[in-house]
Amino acid sequence: MAIYTRLIRPLLFRFDAEKIHDAALRMAAISRPIAPLLYPCFRYTDPRLVSEVAGIRFENPFGLAAGYDKSGRAVDGLAALGFGFIEVGSVSADPSDGNPRPRLWRLPTERAIIVNYGLPNDGADAVAARLGKKQLSVPLGINIVKTNRLRNESDEAIIDDYVRSTRVLREVGDYHVLSLSCPNTENGRNFFADTAHIKRLFEQLAEYSPRPPVFLKISPLGGPKALEDILEAIAGVPYIAGFIFNLPPGKPTPLHVPPEELERMPGAVAGKPVEALINKAIADLYRLMDRSRYSIIGVGGVFGAEDAYRKIRLGASLVQLLTALVYEGPLVVKRINRGLIHLLERDGFSNIAQAVGADSR
C-alpha cells in the first residue's frame, strides 16, 4: 500500500485521469491468462466473511462497483484482485460514446473523483456476446441503464430501452441492477422519481421476467418519503432482491476546491464527500424495507475496513468500491477484508451477516 500511495500514485496523477483508467483496464484485460497466479497476492479468505444474499453465495462481501469496467472487457483480471463480486456496466440497449472528453477528474484534497462519463458502453448485444458463456470465479452483476441519447424521448421509448436490454441480457450474469437514477445524463436523473414510471416499467418487464435477481439503483435524495414510495411501487414484483444507492447529481458542499475549478468539471462527485449522505439513506431504507425480502448493496466513500463496516452495521449486506482503487491501489480489497475480520472479532460476531443492520435495528 505504501509503495502505491507514495511512489506509484504521484506518478499516475501526473496524467489524465481517463487515460490512466483506460490503461489500467487494458492491463486487467490482458492479465486473464495469469489471473489464477494473482490470487495469492490479492485474495483474502475467511469463512466468517462468507454470506448468502439473494440466493447467491459471496466469498466475501466486498465488490467492484459498476462504472469501472463498463462493457465487461476485463472481468477475469479484476476478479483476481480479491473482490467477492464484480459488477459491470452501466450497459444500455444501444452502444453509446458517452459525453465528450474530458469527463473524469480527480479531487485529491477530497479523496474523490468527478464523473461525467455519460454512460459509454458497447451496448447490450455486445456485452451479452462477450459475457454470455463466461465462467467467473466470483458472482457477476450486470448494471442496466437507458441509452444516453442527445434528444428528448417519450416515456414509452425510455421504458422500452430498459426492456430491450433486460431481454438481451436475461441469461447473462448472476444478478442484474436496473439503474433508475443516473446523474450523468439529463433525462436519466428524474424520470423514475415519478413512481408511476417505475410501475409502468415492471408492467412492461412482466413478459420478460428477468432470470437473475434484480437490484434497483436509486437516488439517495428525497428522504424516507421517497423510499416509501419506491417500496410501494414495487410491492408486487417478486424478483426484486434489493437496492443500491447511486451518486447524487451535482456537487456536495463543502468542497475545498475553488468554485472556478469546479465549474470546469461538470458531473457527479464520487468518494468521501458523498459518504455521509448515502450512509443515512442506507439506514433509512433498512428500517423501512422488508428485510426478509430485500438486501442493500452499499457504495460511496469506502476507503478502508471501518468505512465498509459502517455501511454493513447501518444495513448493507454487501459493499462496493471504485474510487478507492484510484487512491489506494489494488491491494485495498485484501486490506479491507482482513480489517473486517478484526472488526467482527472486536464486536463478537462470528459471521459478517450478524453485523448487518446492527446500528439500525
Side-chain angles (χ1 to χ4, degrees):
M1 292 292 294
I3 293 175
Y4 179 85
T5 56
R6 295 177 185 176
L7 298 177
I8 299 175
R9 187 176 72 190
L11 176 62
L12 297 179
F13 277 25
R14 292 175 178 268
F15 299 93
D16 174 77
E18 186 169 352
K19 289 182 179 178
I20 294 299
H21 175 262
D22 290 345
L25 200 60
R26 287 194 296 271
M27 289 181 62
I30 65 176
S31 70
R32 178 183 177 184
I34 63 169
L37 302 178
L38 299 177
Y39 288 149
C41 299
F42 296 101
R43 194 176 183 186
Y44 181 83
T45 60
D46 190 295
R48 289 170 288 185
L49 294 178
V50 176
S51 63
E52 183 176 301
V53 178
I56 304 168
R57 183 184 185 276
F58 294 86
E59 186 176 90
N60 70 68
F62 212 66
L64 178 63
Y68 197 90
D69 187 357
K70 297 172 180 59
S71 295
R73 294 178 173 273
V75 291
D76 296 279
L78 293 170
L81 297 181
F83 288 106
F85 59 107
I86 302 291
E87 187 175 314
V88 303
S90 296
V91 180
S92 52
D94 296 319
S96 172
D97 292 330
N99 293 333
R101 301 189 186 207
R103 52 194 182 178
L104 182 66
W105 298 268
R106 309 179 189 96
L107 297 180
T109 59
E110 312 293 334
R111 301 177 80 192
I113 57 177
I114 295 180
V115 183
N116 194 43
Y117 270 114
L119 308 174
N121 72 97
D122 294 343
D125 288 316
V127 173
R130 184 175 296 132
L131 299 179
K133 298 185 183 298
K134 174 66 66 176
Q135 297 293 318
L136 202 59
S137 59
V138 299
L140 175 66
I142 310 293
N143 188 295
I144 296 171
V145 75
K146 193 199 78 66
T147 307
N148 185 13
R149 297 184 175 88
L150 300 178
R151 64 176 186 270
N152 292 325
E153 297 178 271
S154 69
D155 293 355
E156 287 304 312
I158 292 173
I159 290 172
D160 181 66
D161 204 278
Y162 283 92
V163 174
R164 287 170 56 202
S165 295
T166 301
R167 185 171 64 247
V168 169
L169 293 163
R170 188 177 187 274
E171 301 300 324
V172 183
D174 298 288
Y175 72 90
H176 285 177
V177 177
L178 295 181
S179 188
L180 305 186
S181 166
C182 179
N184 288 164
T185 60
E186 288 301 322
N187 59 0
R189 296 182 186 181
N190 299 315
F191 180 76
F192 288 106
D194 182 347
T195 55
H197 292 150
I198 296 178
K199 293 178 180 179
R200 182 62 178 155
L201 171 63
F202 288 107
E203 288 172 2
Q204 293 292 310
L205 283 174
E207 184 179 351
Y208 308 105
S209 180
R211 177 191 60 80
V214 171
F215 288 78
L216 303 184
K217 197 159 193 176
I218 59 177
S219 171
L221 304 177
K225 178 59 168 63
L227 298 175
E228 289 174 344
D229 290 344
I230 292 172
L231 290 169
E232 188 277 330
I234 63 169
V237 184
Y239 51 79
I240 295 178
F243 306 90
I244 310 174
F245 286 103
N246 210 339
L247 299 176
K251 308 293 192 297
T253 56
L255 292 176
H256 303 93
V257 180
E260 59 272 18
E261 289 188 29
L262 288 176
E263 289 179 3
R264 297 194 295 268
M265 297 183 286
V269 175
K272 278 297 176 184
V274 302
E275 182 179 24
L277 173 67
I278 293 181
N279 282 357
K280 184 180 185 307
I282 290 172
D284 287 342
L285 178 57
Y286 185 81
R287 295 187 184 101
L288 291 169
M289 72 185 191
D290 179 351
R291 300 195 287 271
S292 67
R293 178 179 175 188
Y294 301 123
S295 299
I296 299 171
I297 302 177
V299 66
V302 177
F303 280 69
E306 289 281 1
D307 302 330
Y309 193 56
R310 178 63 175 152
K311 282 182 166 51
I312 290 167
R313 288 187 62 101
L314 288 172
S317 296
L318 303 168
V319 180
Q320 295 176 326
L321 67 71
L322 194 158
T323 306
L325 278 181
V326 176
Y327 285 93
E328 304 296 319
L331 283 170
V332 66
V333 183
K334 186 174 186 177
R335 175 169 60 88
I336 289 176
N337 280 320
R338 182 186 292 118
L340 285 175
I341 289 298
H342 295 308
L343 294 168
L344 291 176
E345 291 175 345
R346 182 196 68 188
D347 293 347
F349 295 124
S350 60
N351 183 270
I352 194 71
Q354 295 174 352
V356 174
D359 292 336
S360 298
R361 293 168 187 158

